[in-house]
Amino acid sequence: MKGRSCGLFLCLFLGIACFSGYQVLRILHEYRVGADAYFKLEQFASLPPASEETEETPAEPAWPEVDFTALAAVNPDVTAWLYGPDTGISYPVVQGTDNDYYLDHLLDGTANSAGCLFVDTSCRLDFSGRNTVIYG
């Protein structure tokens, strides 16, 4: 009886481990698809070259040039481009009609748990408010 219950527990734990492994691989795949989608969107923004900074003259930040007209053809909800020099941050930002849709959809509308950067619906579309909240 003792050997049989140990075998049952072993099968149960192996089943749980296999299911957990599958879930991790599924999530990693969705993040990879999301990263590939963002990589394809980089064609709409020409990032500035790295600036030379010296002690005498600090470098002025250079900003990317973004083709918002072409991006609007992909998704009319695009409102901004979030960029951080020397950080690897360079992503489009959208603003939908609610704060739920872009939690689990990419910029092109594909359902994906990676989601998309989006502005809170209570914030002004032109960023003229005192604060603008970006979720992502």
Side-chain angles (χ1 to χ4, degrees), residues 11-105:
C11 287
L12 177 69
F13 289 129
L14 282 174
I16 291 171
C18 288
F19 178 75
S20 299
Y22 167 75
Q23 291 295 330
V24 168
L25 289 176
R26 185 184 60 79
I27 291 168
L28 289 175
H29 173 71
E30 284 198 4
Y31 280 122
R32 170 61 60 196
V33 169
D36 291 344
Y38 276 119
F39 181 73
K40 290 176 185 173
L41 291 172
E42 287 180 359
Q43 68 181 337
F44 297 108
S46 59
L47 300 179
S51 59
E52 296 293 324
E53 185 173 324
T54 63
E55 287 184 23
E56 298 84 32
T57 58
E60 284 291 319
W63 305 108
E65 293 183 24
V66 180
D67 185 1
F68 284 105
T69 306
L71 268 174
V74 174
N75 186 338
D77 290 342
V78 172
T79 60
W81 193 276
L82 186 65
Y83 173 72
D86 302 324
T87 62
I89 297 173
S90 182
Y91 301 108
V93 180
V94 296
Q95 186 174 30
T97 56
D98 62 28
N99 287 338
D100 293 329
Y101 181 75
Y102 286 110
L103 285 172
D104 56 5
H105 286 82

